[in-house]
Amino acid sequence: MINNKKISKFAISIIEDLKKNNYQGYLVGGCVRDLLCGLEPKDFDIATNATPEQIRKVFKASRIIGKRFKLVHVFNRSELIEVATFRSGDDINNDGNLVQDQSGKIIRDNIWGGLEQDSYRRDFTINSLYYCPLSKKIVGHEDGMKHIHEKKVVSIGDPKKRFAEDPVRCLRALRFSNKLNFKVDPKIKDAIYEKGHLLSGISNARIFDEFCKIFLGGMAEKNYRKMTSFGLSKYLVTTNPEKSEFTSRLIIEALRNTDKRLKNNQSVTPGFLIAALLWPELLEKSIAKGEINLRKFFRSMDQVLRKQQKITAIPRKFHSYIKDIWVLQLKLHSRIGRQPYKTLKHPRFRAAYDFMLIREKAANEINNLGKWWTKFQRNDDNLKKSLIKIINENDTQESFKTFGFSQELR
Ligand code: ATP
Ligand code: MG
């Protein structure tokens, strides 16, 4: 059923070593699900009855991580595999290793258990299958296989309770349904409507991780549309698509561009996407009397970032990158004298230019700025000179006041 050739050799060797030490060891979760669905797993997670300390002893190159959810990273030169101890999911002794808050949210889960208990505390039946590559047997939730065949995302237990325990499961249900082309169980839909609002209480670090999985996995547009239809996109992006025609088009164009790049094996970064998604927010804050006010523009950059930062942590290293892309949008509009040469040399020029093309598409802008810059990048000094000359002769007053954003400002 599952072809072991598709499994990381390192992961299999870890399971062999666990067995040699008389522990159980299984591949579990997303990798088993993806293999059964004919997809290539992103990573291989292992579950075992060994405690983190015991796992640590079996593998020299390993490290215990996490507090809320303790597990062990086992690594070699090129791979890192997460090995987690079976958890029981309930706290019979109530000794504080499983902690829930008022809404029922689990804030700590470190009670060890057996495989069966572990299979019930997982989120969806399709994520609750365990595969032993040595015996080639699959065990786990009794409905897991059935729901893979029926192409359904079904919660383990009452989704209202499970989503209150961990609201991120709302996002996960929709993401898996898109990724696998599975239907979402109607009970899950109801639970999302009822419990989705609890996403506002999730840490920005966790939402950022989920943001990356949702938007940088090749299904950004589809995921955004689905999240929006359940009213969940506001927990991922501060920009309100209903603000204007341009805003909603820009969001979609930016997501489409991300999907397209991934398809073409081009790099993507959350920084670029966040710069694009927040642009309409920045513009809105920068307008005075129908024009861009530069002071407002510069002052608003941090404000707009901070607002988004409240919902998705934005790693430090992206902040200046995002602001560079924004400031360069202004610079791309000043094409006289030496300025275009300076702009072209900027280390973020390429990203800024790519984003300008997305803006033009979203705005249906026909002022040819994109075309101009496409030509200006060519390795041809005479062409560069003549391009600048044309601009100087046609002195485009209008575009100085609005930086050519006229369509975007409506
Ligand atoms: P992907 O890696 O494609 O996002 P995945 O299913 O592997 O999908 P992970 O976040 O890597 O997702 O988690 C691995 C497994 O851990 C899941 O398959 C599931 O069994 C369990 N799991 C992860 N997150 C949760 C959660 N929030 N609640 C319950 N179980 C979870
Ligand atoms: Mg995974």
Side-chain angles (χ1 to χ4, degrees), residues 321-338:
Y321 174 83
I322 292 170
K323 289 193 229 173
D324 281 349
I325 290 181
W326 286 343
V327 173
L328 279 165
Q329 298 311 302
L330 305 180
K331 300 221 162 137
L332 286 166
H333 284 274
S334 79
R335 292 173 286 165
I336 37 177
R338 298 299 301 164

Side-chain angles (χ1 to χ4, degrees), residues 40-294:
E40 187 151 337
K42 272 196 327 232
D43 42 37
F44 294 91
D45 295 328
I46 291 175
T48 176
N49 60 344
T51 64
E53 289 73 21
Q54 290 168 331
I55 303 167
R56 180 74 194 81
K57 276 196 194 119
V58 176
F59 303 98
K60 284 215 173 64
S62 69
R63 184 172 52 221
I64 298 178
I65 61 142
K67 202 169 159 187
R68 203 181 70 85
F69 195 94
K70 228 191 225 188
L71 49 83
V72 184
H73 279 170
V74 181
F75 37 92
N76 66 11
R77 241 173 250 139
S78 56
E79 274 179 276
L80 183 157
I81 305 259
E82 284 187 4
V83 183
T85 309
F86 295 142
R87 278 154 168 84
S88 90
D90 23 61
D91 193 356
I92 302 154
N93 301 325
N94 196 18
D95 59 3
N97 279 321
L98 185 103
V99 183
Q100 288 176 281
D101 73 1
Q102 284 163 332
S103 65
K105 188 169 93 184
I106 294 181
I107 36 196
R108 193 162 168 177
D109 181 1
N110 282 325
I111 311 217
W112 318 135
L115 186 149
E116 195 183 330
Q117 289 169 307
D118 190 73
S119 77
Y120 284 104
R121 61 101 194 154
R122 289 179 184 268
D123 46 5
F124 306 108
T125 56
I126 55 168
N127 282 347
S128 192
L129 293 170
Y130 302 69
Y131 175 67
C132 173
L134 312 182
S135 69
K136 300 199 158 188
K137 280 208 181 102
I138 296 174
V139 292
H141 195 285
E142 65 266 24
D143 291 332
M145 274 311 237
K146 182 170 151 241
H147 292 155
I148 293 232
H149 288 126
E150 292 173 1
K151 294 177 164 284
K152 289 202 288 208
V153 182
V154 180
S155 169
I156 296 176
D158 177 5
K160 287 185 183 163
K161 180 170 167 261
R162 300 306 309 281
F163 292 2
E165 277 172 12
D166 181 4
V168 172
R169 291 171 184 153
C170 300
L171 300 171
R172 290 172 57 86
L174 300 178
R175 179 161 65 83
F176 294 135
S177 128
N178 274 349
K179 170 174 169 171
L180 306 163
N181 235 328
F182 278 24
K183 287 216 157 55
V184 180
D185 180 32
K187 278 194 201 152
I188 287 186
K189 293 185 183 173
D190 291 343
I192 294 178
Y193 290 127
E194 198 176 306
K195 304 293 179 189
H197 68 96
L198 295 172
L199 280 165
S200 64
I202 299 295
S203 78
N204 61 353
R206 237 188 123 203
I207 299 283
F208 178 73
D209 288 344
E210 202 54 38
F211 175 99
C212 292
K213 289 188 182 184
I214 291 169
F215 295 129
L216 303 177
M219 292 217 168
E221 183 184 353
K222 202 172 163 195
N223 281 340
Y224 183 81
R225 290 188 190 280
K226 189 153 223 159
M227 302 295 167
T228 305
S229 73
F230 282 89
L232 299 186
S233 43
K234 62 169 177 284
Y235 302 108
L236 297 165
V237 189
T238 50
T239 311
N240 178 358
E242 283 161 21
K243 275 269 168 67
S244 70
E245 178 78 21
F246 171 72
T247 306
S248 73
R249 291 181 55 137
L250 183 75
I251 293 173
I252 294 299
E253 287 300 337
L255 298 170
R256 240 178 231 171
N257 174 262
T258 310
D259 290 341
K260 202 169 89 197
R261 288 184 67 91
L262 285 165
K263 224 173 172 180
N264 298 336
N265 288 318
Q266 290 171 292
S267 65
V268 293
T269 86
F272 182 88
L273 186 60
I274 289 171
L277 295 174
L278 297 184
W279 174 254
E281 291 272 291
L282 177 61
L283 272 193
E284 194 196 332
K285 285 198 174 2
S286 312
I287 296 171
K289 296 182 206 136
E291 294 176 13
I292 302 276
N293 177 305
L294 286 184

Side-chain angles (χ1 to χ4, degrees), residues 306-324:
R306 233 177 287 129
K307 194 170 152 208
Q308 175 69 25
Q309 176 94 17
K310 278 195 189 135
I311 60 173
T312 65
I314 304 168
R316 271 259 143 236
K317 62 178 174 192
F318 294 125
H319 290 207
S320 63
Y321 174 83
I322 292 170
K323 289 193 229 173
D324 281 349

